[in-house]
Amino acid sequence: MRVLKFGGSSLADADRFLRAADIIANNAQQEDLAWCYQHQVKQPTN
């Protein structure tokens, strides 16, 4: 089993998000796969 983890700059914008999705799709065809992502919500500063 392969575990893929994405977060931070890997999901920073739409292009990078789509690249991560392509990586997941390509690896899913090859073997058992688990994936996770980390998302941090930034609080607005005053």
Side-chain angles (χ1 to χ4, degrees):
M1 175 180 279
R2 179 177 289 189
V3 177
L4 305 175
K5 178 187 165 288
F6 301 92
S9 62
S10 298
L11 304 173
D13 57 33
D15 288 335
R16 290 179 181 234
F17 190 91
L18 292 173
R19 179 165 158 65
D22 285 341
I23 292 169
I24 292 168
N26 289 336
N27 281 279
Q29 295 172 2
Q30 297 173 10
E31 58 187 292
D32 290 338
L33 178 71
W35 62 275
C36 62
Y37 72 95
Q38 177 181 349
H39 178 70
Q40 179 178 354
V41 177
K42 294 184 180 179
Q43 298 297 322
T45 55
N46 294 330

